[in-house]
Amino acid sequence: MKKCPLCGGALNEQRVTHPQEYQGRIVLLENVPAQVCRQCGEVLLRPETLEHIQKLVWSKAPSGRTAQVPVYDLADSC
């Protein structure tokens, strides 16, 4: 079993929601295959998964749906 490069914890195969910034906008990708550390929660994506994400986002293909996301700015509160 592979180990987390940050803490040495065990990695599990999971599907995650991955935010990706592109041209000043945030795109959410759901059900992304990833390795997630059981100990610290670090998410690792395989190079082929990252390439697939790039191609999909750069293609500007229509998404399945659009979601509104609340935004909190901590600049004034910390």
Side-chain angles (χ1 to χ4, degrees):
M1 178 177 281
K2 290 192 174 191
K3 301 287 183 183
C4 175
L6 294 181
C7 74
L11 298 173
N12 281 345
E13 281 291 325
Q14 293 181 20
R15 297 274 174 164
V16 300
T17 298
H18 176 71
Q20 178 69 49
E21 184 175 356
Y22 178 67
Q23 293 184 340
R25 299 178 70 189
I26 301 293
V27 177
L28 290 179
L29 299 118
E30 297 179 318
N31 297 306
V32 177
Q35 294 181 323
V36 181
C37 178
R38 284 191 218 168
Q39 188 167 305
C40 72
E42 178 71 10
V43 176
L44 303 170
L45 302 178
R46 290 188 171 86
E48 59 269 18
T49 301
L50 289 169
E51 287 177 23
H52 183 71
I53 288 171
Q54 276 185 332
K55 287 178 186 175
L56 183 62
V57 172
W58 291 354
S59 75
K60 298 184 183 175
S63 63
R65 63 189 170 91
T66 302
Q68 288 186 324
V69 182
V71 177
Y72 298 96
D73 187 349
L74 298 182
D76 295 331
S77 63
C78 290

